[in-house]
Amino acid sequence: MCTAATYKTKDFYFGRTLDYEFSYGDEITITPRNYVFNLRHMGTLSKHYALIGMAHVAGDYPLYYDAINEKGLGMAGLNFVGNAVYNEVEEGRENVAQFEFIPWILGKCATVKEARELLSRINLVKTPFSEQLPCAQLHWIIADKEGAIVVESMADGFHVWDDPAGVLTNNPPFDQQMFMLNNYMHLSPKQPENYFSDQLGLKAYSRGMGALGLPGDLSSASRFARVAYVREHSFSGESEAESVSQFFHILGSVDQQRGCCEVEPGKYEITLYSSCCNGDKGIYYYTTYENHQISAVDMHHEDLDGAALVRYPVLQGEKIYMQN
Ligand SMILES: C[C@H](CCC(=O)NCCS(=O)(=O)O)[C@H]1CC[C@H]2[C@@H]3[C@H](O)C[C@@H]4C[C@H](O)CC[C@]4(C)[C@H]3C[C@H](O)[C@]12C
């Protein structure tokens, strides 16, 4: 399972949890403006916006899971197993392979508005990266400081949904996730009133009872409702430290602890990493399951006019600050 969210204070923030039972070998990867993407069906993409994000680099190709570009547009791919359907290549169309989708959008678009325009022409195709890395079944959230959209390529068509909740998880399809939020419209950070009966003398005996009924389990639909609720009510200061800290708390509401989601006997899905990108500053912050300290890579500390990928390993291992 995975969860993505947006957040705004003075700056725009975008990030995700990556939940899985193993890592593909990820690195924080900066693609500078002159790195040449050799596209499968569209020639080359040689001049584009610079990107920073989490990727598995295969043969010098950055296979992004989530990223932002230098203009503050963010995009993340989340599992959509059983629902994602990609097309065959069609002559004369903009055929973009599923694994090229993030660089194609973030390389060319500065805003969600521009992404919508590009999406209206795209034919998302099933060409795999390689035999070892076949097509991932994903759907995507694309967001900037003005708003978010969700892209789902399914058997019944190519959908571009408005995402006013600013979140995405996994199955079921996005329109169903949004519909199910109706079930939770009574939830509130305020203490509840007794509408049940004026005969029974019911009262709030604990803080936090306004959100009784918010689902606590790890299913995708429950995480969708929980992260949407937490994000909606999030409140923080505007400084970078306060905003980043609050963003990780939003994602913390859907964190997966080892042992709670068994995918096969003795194998557990966990939150391998959580990310928070500052879209205005081009900084990629992250924590991992084994490293709660926030680490960060700033794209503007690199030569963004270069042509070679810049790669940083994901730092692991808890760093405990001993006070005596
Ligand atoms: C497994 C990841 C999604 C995690 C997730 O959504 N888990 C939910 C589990 S569940 O459904 O709800 O059970 C996805 C997100 C991005 C994916 C990667 C990116 O799409 C980049 C390439 C794409 C290639 O086609 C396959 C390898 C790959 C390197 C992908 C491997 C894997 O599918 C990733 C890492």
Side-chain angles (χ1 to χ4, degrees):
M1 288 160 256
C2 292
T3 306
T6 66
Y7 187 55
K8 229 180 116 188
T9 57
K10 194 162 51 44
D11 286 348
F12 168 65
Y13 298 88
F14 173 83
R16 61 102 55 83
T17 58
L18 189 300
D19 305 335
Y20 216 50
E21 59 276 22
F22 66 88
S23 164
Y24 280 79
D26 329 315
E27 292 169 296
I28 301 95
T29 307
I30 296 165
T31 304
R33 297 176 189 122
N34 294 308
Y35 169 90
V36 178
F37 284 97
N38 289 306
L39 303 167
R40 292 298 164 94
H41 309 289
M42 302 280 290
T44 58
L45 177 62
S46 47
K47 291 226 173 311
H48 48 76
Y49 294 130
L51 323 179
I52 183 168
M54 195 65 89
H56 169 71
V57 179
D60 200 39
Y61 190 96
L63 290 161
Y64 278 109
Y65 312 173
D66 53 89
I68 50 159
N69 68 13
E70 58 183 300
K71 296 290 180 188
L73 185 66
M75 181 163 174
L78 287 81
N79 261 6
F80 195 40
V81 176
N83 279 307
V85 176
Y86 307 121
N87 299 336
E88 300 291 347
V89 173
E90 272 180 53
E91 201 60 38
R93 294 201 56 195
E94 297 194 353
N95 296 299
V96 175
Q98 162 265 314
F99 64 85
E100 297 168 339
F101 196 24
I102 290 182
W104 179 254
I105 296 291
L106 296 190
K108 293 168 87 79
C109 305
T111 60
V112 167
K113 194 160 172 261
E114 287 181 24
R116 271 185 189 282
E117 223 283 296
L118 206 59
L119 288 166
S120 67
R121 301 199 301 267
I122 205 171
N123 186 36
L124 196 60
V125 300
K126 55 173 74 156
T127 313
F129 179 76
S130 64
E131 225 172 276
Q132 297 74 36
L133 295 172
C135 269
Q137 294 185 57
L138 305 176
H139 56 176
W140 292 266
I141 179 170
I142 304 175
D144 63 15
K145 55 158 60 107
E146 307 297 336
I149 55 175
V150 165
V151 179
E152 297 187 327
S153 181
M154 299 173 58
D156 67 352
F158 188 73
H159 304 286
V160 180
W161 307 105
D162 276 329
D163 181 358
V167 300
L168 183 65
T169 60
N170 308 106
N171 282 333
F174 181 74
D175 55 336
Q176 293 179 47
Q177 296 277 27
M178 282 303 287
F179 179 80
M180 288 191 286
L181 286 188
N182 287 312
N183 298 340
Y184 304 108
M185 68 180 189
H186 60 289
L187 301 188
S188 161
K190 298 191 192 315
Q191 288 294 70
E193 297 287 325
N194 174 15
Y195 297 113
F196 192 99
S197 160
D198 50 12
Q199 305 299 309
L200 297 178
L202 305 178
K203 59 178 193 297
Y205 56 86
S206 153
R207 291 179 176 185
M209 287 178 69
L212 255 183
L214 184 66
D217 68 278
L218 291 173
S219 68
S220 172
S222 295
R223 280 180 292 108
F224 190 97
R226 196 157 68 249
V227 76
Y229 176 86
V230 173
R231 175 192 174 280
E232 206 64 32
H233 295 292
S234 245
F235 179 74
S236 73
E238 303 230 302
S239 72
E240 185 69 351
E242 289 166 305
S243 307
V244 170
S245 167
Q246 183 70 9
F247 190 87
F248 280 110
H249 283 297
I250 294 171
L251 290 185
S253 70
V254 287
D255 212 27
Q256 274 188 246
Q257 299 79 15
R258 186 180 292 118
C260 293
C261 175
E262 192 171 36
V263 291
E264 53 183 270
K267 260 203 178 159
Y268 300 97
E269 186 167 293
I270 60 170
T271 300
L272 292 171
Y273 72 82
S274 303
S275 66
C276 167
C277 306
N278 180 323
D280 295 278
K281 295 194 169 65
I283 303 176
Y284 191 94
Y285 299 90
Y286 69 94
T287 61
T288 78
Y289 196 85
E290 310 288 355
N291 180 9
H292 282 82
Q293 179 174 339
I294 299 171
S295 307
V297 178
D298 184 337
M299 76 181 337
H300 296 291
H301 289 175
E302 308 295 334
D303 174 14
L304 295 184
D305 285 322
L309 296 181
V310 180
R311 300 157 60 175
Y312 284 92
V314 173
L315 299 178
Q316 298 288 5
E318 294 293 0
K319 287 158 200 68
I320 295 168
Y321 181 75
M322 290 297 297
Q323 285 189 271
N324 63 4

